[in-house]
Amino acid sequence: MKSFPGGIHPQYNKDLTKAKSIVEMPLPKKVRLLLSQHLGPPCSPLVAPGDEVAQGQKIADTEAYVAAPILASVAGEVTAVDAEGIDILTDPSRSAFIGGKKAYSSPAELRQLIREGGIVGLGGATFPTHVKLSPPEGKTVHTLVLNGAECEPYLTTDHRLMLEQGEELVAGAKLLMEACGAEKAIIGIEENKPDAIANLEELCREQGDIRVARVPVRYPQGGERQLIKTLTGKEVPEGGLPLDLGIVVSNVATAAAVHQAINLGLPLIDRVVTVSGGGVAEPKNVRVRLGTPIADLLDFCGGLTTTAVKVVNGGPMMGKAVSDLNSPVTKGTSGILAFTAAEAREFEERDCIRCARCVDACPQILMPLYLALYSRKRKYDLAEEFHLFNCIECGCCSYVCPSRIPIVKYIQTAKDRITRQRRRK
Amino acid sequence: MSDKLLAGPSPHILGGKSISSIMWDVVISLVPVSLTAALYFGPRVLIMLVVSLFSAVAIEAAFMAIRHGDIKRAAVVYDGSAAVTGLLIALVMPPTAPFWLIVIANAVAILLAKQAYGGIGNNIFNPALVARAFVFMAWPALMTRWSLPLGLDNWFADLTSGATPLGSAQATHLELFLGNIGGSIGEVSALAILVGALYLFLKGHIDWRIPGGYVGTAALFTFFAKGFSLDQVLFQVLAGGLLFGAVFMATDLVTSPTTKSGRLIFGIGCGLITMFVRLAAKAPEGVTYAILLMNALVPLIDRFTVPKTFGQVKS
């Protein structure tokens, strides 16, 4: 199979959780729902302290197009509202949710229902799903790609979901196809998940328009540009979107969430999180309410071991270090990983020795060494000449760098500075 | 758990390679040529290698201690690159090179060609080759006092003077391949060089483009310039420092291009200049000057060989 250029083979370490069924965590005592849980402008609160909210009730929204509303993940009393989030004290007696199939009469209505379900991409990028499903004027979608690659080491949420909730996933895929007008769907799964591949192949046997494709195991196979290249041989244009090729990419977990929101009337109030790493006592795949404090989730998994030195929200390659364990689980939290010093080794940064390992590893065919250099020297125009904004921040360059240069950090800094400068103008 | 959680940037896991692990791999790759050098030219060669290696490391350590004002800090930043430079310098010396000359060569490499530019990663020219060019200019007679291999039966005998094949053209292909010829101590055995190259290749420290482009170009050039003679092709490739330069000098990470096509262009350029010097100018030292000249072109080559980025719209 023709695949994407570059990439790396990090230790996957998925054995810690890949055979563990998803378990549901009991309701947390309180939740904190952040107003910014998606890519795009944050929502504004619709509730005030003292309000009683029902489970699934919309508590924050915005007029902005690239956004999805925030729904109460538990029933209870709003105890605080600030610039960043809304706190709710859980009332377990009222936490049942009355759902029911949602009715719609057009793809546009279906997309609106998906928006009202609060659904964003659950792979980690948190792009609002209804926006992705709306092709702009003059463009049509022919293919839906369901991303089941799960190339980030340690994470096994998609793997478990494909095994345990295959029917819901396929039902969700049907809805996504209907919403964007795709005629066919391809589910891309890395070859290291043969049981998930077999399960979905079985489920898709009856479906003429959905097929399963096994893709090579190489990070970042689950990057949407990389997955499209592997599956179709086509490259998403620089600065463009998969839509430019008539393709919509959606995570498998997002498809299952769409099924729940539309067919069962259960909006996005929880998600599956892999809690793993050498610093967690009992690694698990957990279905957890959004807004649950990370500390509570870790406690549910036996807590941190004495050797844990770093906690990461997301995968080890692209996730963010957590400094405050009271911060909550969000829509983008695919994993909570606790690392020991041996796993998350820290090194002193040295001068670049121009070994070009970053060049060879870059799946976007960039020159990471020059991007880092020009960012460090604040020559942002030169960084842009080297296609700074085509970087997907997958981390392959930093991973292979023998000088331990945090190349991605430099790239993020440059992007940030340039974006802020533009906004000021 | 620890009192304070680490907050470093993503990715949170890193690969196992470090500058020093790469440098020690290069040292290992130089073991076969070092051993064959000792085998052919006697025990003096071993002392040469040790003197060179330790003078390089000592000079770098002294410089670091002065620069950072702290010997402990010098140990922290020590990465093995000086050991590589020291070994390379000894290996491109004739077997009769005086020890003081070797120490001077190392001082030039470490202080002038490397630290003056800002240390590892910042130098433009290959330090070992700058050192060789320097001592060759300053003491040409000492640098061309060649001797023939001793052979195992009189390993401890004194070296006797004799010409290199490139100077006199007296050697069979097998002798050239195994290294039973005169020359700089590391360059004589093609077989040992290829073993080292294979190790570096398997470890992922070199790709085929630089040595392939270099040797391939030299071979093609000879083939056409020397009346389509395969004999001449084999001779030019195996004699002198071409293979050693192509495998161990031109592939120096710091002083070679970072793009794939750039590496090929760099190799081809080295091959062309070497053969021009050897055949047209009828001068020795083709390899040294070819690589140094191409080193100077590296920023330019990098600039003009930036590959089309993923999804780049044709402009």
Side-chain angles (χ1 to χ4, degrees):
Chain A
M1 185 177 284
K2 222 178 133 55
S3 194
F4 64 93
I8 54 170
H9 290 101
Q11 271 213 342
Y12 261 28
N13 291 327
K14 291 180 189 265
D15 291 342
L16 289 168
T17 51
K18 76 173 186 191
K20 295 190 177 168
S21 302
I22 299 168
V23 290
E24 176 126 19
M25 180 175 155
L27 286 179
K29 286 195 183 65
K30 57 179 178 15
V31 295
R32 175 170 174 77
L33 293 151
L34 298 186
L35 295 171
S36 182
Q37 298 195 37
H38 53 259
L39 200 82
C43 293
S44 307
L46 303 172
V47 292
D51 287 0
E52 289 288 331
V53 292
Q55 184 168 294
Q57 178 185 331
K58 195 198 280 187
I59 55 170
D61 204 349
T62 168
E63 298 279 304
Y65 178 58
V66 184
I70 310 289
L71 311 164
S73 58
V74 294
E77 186 195 337
V78 175
T79 54
V81 176
D82 56 45
E84 262 127 49
I86 299 168
D87 293 343
I88 302 174
L89 193 66
T90 310
D91 178 354
S93 65
R94 295 196 297 119
S95 72
F97 184 82
I98 303 120
K101 195 172 164 64
K102 304 266 183 189
Y104 56 90
S105 56
S106 69
E109 271 184 46
L110 176 53
R111 292 196 292 264
Q112 184 59 25
L113 287 175
I114 290 172
R115 182 190 186 280
E116 292 306 305
I119 293 170
V120 302
L122 296 178
T126 64
F127 193 78
T129 300
H130 67 281
V131 178
K132 210 182 242 188
L133 294 169
S134 314
E137 208 70 44
K139 281 188 180 149
T140 53
V141 174
H142 51 75
T143 306
L144 170 74
V145 169
L146 283 173
N147 190 346
E150 199 163 52
C151 60
E152 273 267 15
Y154 291 91
L155 303 188
T156 54
T157 63
D158 293 346
H159 186 179
R160 292 311 307 177
L161 205 98
M162 289 188 283
L163 277 178
E164 298 175 32
Q165 289 171 249
E167 288 93 344
E168 301 186 23
L169 197 159
V170 172
K174 290 272 178 198
L175 290 167
L176 286 169
M177 288 165 73
E178 197 178 340
C180 67
E183 302 137 19
K184 59 179 197 296
I186 310 171
I187 310 175
I189 308 172
E190 274 194 350
E191 281 166 338
N192 58 357
K193 298 181 258 294
D195 46 355
I197 293 171
N199 184 43
L200 288 177
E201 269 175 348
E202 183 63 37
L203 289 168
C204 293
R205 190 154 296 154
E206 314 285 284
Q207 316 279 347
D209 47 1
I210 306 180
R211 71 176 175 91
V212 177
R214 51 182 68 212
V215 297
V217 179
R218 180 152 44 104
Y219 180 85
Q221 184 63 264
E224 63 179 10
R225 279 150 212 266
Q226 283 62 43
L227 189 58
I228 289 172
K229 173 79 178 172
T230 303
L231 293 174
T232 70
K234 294 195 181 109
E235 292 182 15
V236 176
E238 181 185 10
L241 292 169
L243 272 175
D244 295 321
L245 299 175
I247 296 171
V248 166
V249 183
S250 180
N251 186 268
V252 287
T254 314
V258 167
H259 159 78
Q260 293 190 338
I262 306 302
N263 292 340
L264 309 177
L266 297 167
L268 188 65
I269 58 167
D270 63 8
R271 68 158 297 149
V272 183
V273 178
T274 296
V275 183
S276 187
V280 171
E282 302 157 28
K284 282 177 186 162
N285 296 300
V286 187
R287 182 169 286 282
V288 59
R289 296 296 166 106
L290 299 177
T292 300
I294 288 170
D296 288 13
L297 178 57
L298 284 168
D299 283 344
F300 179 67
C301 298
L304 292 174
T305 65
T306 51
T307 51
V309 296
K310 193 177 201 179
V311 174
V312 172
N313 185 337
M317 294 300 295
M318 294 185 70
K320 285 195 170 61
V322 177
S323 52
D324 178 6
L325 291 181
N326 290 316
S327 58
V329 168
T330 66
K331 292 176 182 177
T333 305
S334 47
I336 293 293
L337 306 175
F339 290 132
T340 62
E343 288 171 299
R345 288 182 297 168
E346 298 224 325
F347 299 93
E348 190 183 341
E349 177 181 346
R350 306 290 302 273
D351 283 350
C352 172
I353 57 165
R354 298 174 41 83
C355 69
R357 280 183 168 71
C358 57
V359 179
D360 294 345
C362 180
Q364 292 289 102
I365 320 183
L366 296 164
M367 305 282 290
L369 75 158
Y370 289 115
L371 294 176
L373 177 75
Y374 295 138
S375 169
R376 209 158 48 91
K377 293 191 167 177
R378 298 173 183 233
K379 293 184 175 168
Y380 300 128
D381 46 337
L382 274 169
E384 275 204 88
E385 249 179 70
F386 276 88
H387 306 277
L388 175 75
F389 282 96
N390 206 25
C391 169
I392 57 169
E393 301 174 18
C394 65
C396 288
C397 51
S398 308
Y399 180 87
V400 298
C401 180
S403 295
R404 317 297 193 181
I405 299 169
I407 303 175
V408 174
K409 188 184 83 178
Y410 283 122
I411 289 175
Q412 286 166 337
T413 306
K415 282 181 176 175
D416 206 50
R417 290 281 161 78
I418 294 171
T419 314
R420 257 190 269 169
Q421 267 170 18
R422 293 232 172 96
R423 214 173 288 153
R424 232 175 284 141
K425 272 174 199 164
Chain B
M1 88 182 220
S2 357
D3 294 343
K4 205 169 173 348
L5 291 169
L6 297 174
S10 67
H12 308 282
I13 52 172
L14 295 175
K17 293 263 177 13
S18 66
I19 297 180
S20 47
S21 77
I22 294 174
M23 292 304 159
W24 292 117
D25 276 346
V26 177
V27 169
I28 292 169
S29 77
L30 290 169
V31 167
V33 284
S34 303
L35 289 179
T36 47
L39 197 68
Y40 285 124
F41 296 108
R44 182 175 193 279
V45 157
L46 291 175
I47 305 172
M48 278 173 68
L49 287 165
V50 170
V51 165
S52 195
L53 195 151
F54 278 95
S55 57
V57 173
I59 292 165
E60 173 138 304
F63 181 88
M64 287 297 200
I66 294 166
R67 180 175 159 195
H68 296 290
D70 181 359
I71 192 77
K72 274 192 203 132
R73 177 71 197 154
V76 169
V77 296
Y78 184 70
D79 53 37
S81 59
V84 171
T85 305
L87 270 184
L88 285 174
I89 285 175
L91 289 166
V92 294
M93 292 277 180
T96 58
F99 297 129
W100 60 264
L101 188 68
I102 293 174
V103 176
I104 288 179
N106 276 293
V108 169
I110 300 292
L111 299 177
L112 222 64
K114 183 177 169 189
Q115 296 299 351
Y117 285 93
I120 186 166
N122 300 296
N123 50 300
I124 297 169
F125 298 101
N126 183 321
L129 285 182
V130 171
R132 179 176 160 86
F134 180 88
V135 292
F136 193 87
M137 296 274 206
W139 293 279
L142 292 178
M143 287 299 288
T144 48
R145 234 172 39 186
W146 305 114
S147 70
L148 293 173
L150 294 166
L152 279 180
D153 4 339
N154 49 353
W155 201 57
F156 287 102
D158 286 335
L159 290 162
T160 50
S161 67
T164 70
L166 265 189
S168 71
Q170 293 291 319
T172 66
H173 289 153
L174 187 66
E175 282 175 323
L176 283 168
F177 184 71
L178 295 177
N180 196 15
I181 50 174
S184 298
I185 61 171
E187 73 184 23
V188 289
S189 171
L191 177 64
I193 293 168
L194 291 177
V195 171
L198 184 68
Y199 180 77
L200 288 177
F201 183 77
L202 291 178
K203 282 275 177 177
H205 299 321
I206 59 175
D207 79 341
W208 61 272
R209 290 177 180 82
I210 291 175
Y214 197 158
V215 175
T217 303
L220 272 178
F221 193 103
T222 311
F223 187 67
F224 289 110
K226 286 282 188 178
F228 312 108
S229 155
L230 282 176
D231 232 35
Q232 276 296 320
V233 168
L234 270 175
F235 177 76
Q236 287 293 342
V237 168
L238 294 175
L242 193 143
L243 268 186
F244 188 88
V247 169
F248 296 116
M249 293 291 195
T251 55
D252 173 36
L253 299 171
V254 176
T255 57
S256 59
T258 56
T259 62
K260 287 195 174 80
S261 53
R263 288 173 220 161
L264 190 60
I265 292 170
F266 181 84
I268 291 170
C270 288
L272 282 177
I273 298 172
T274 303
M275 295 322 289
F276 270 121
V277 174
R278 275 190 184 178
L279 299 180
K282 302 227 184 303
E285 293 307 290
V287 173
T288 304
Y289 292 109
I291 298 174
L292 286 174
L293 269 170
M294 290 308 292
N295 282 165
L297 293 181
V298 164
L300 214 61
I301 295 174
D302 261 11
R303 191 78 189 87
F304 287 102
T305 55
V306 174
K308 266 212 169 75
T309 186
F310 191 85
Q312 186 167 348
V313 186
K314 286 171 194 82
S315 55

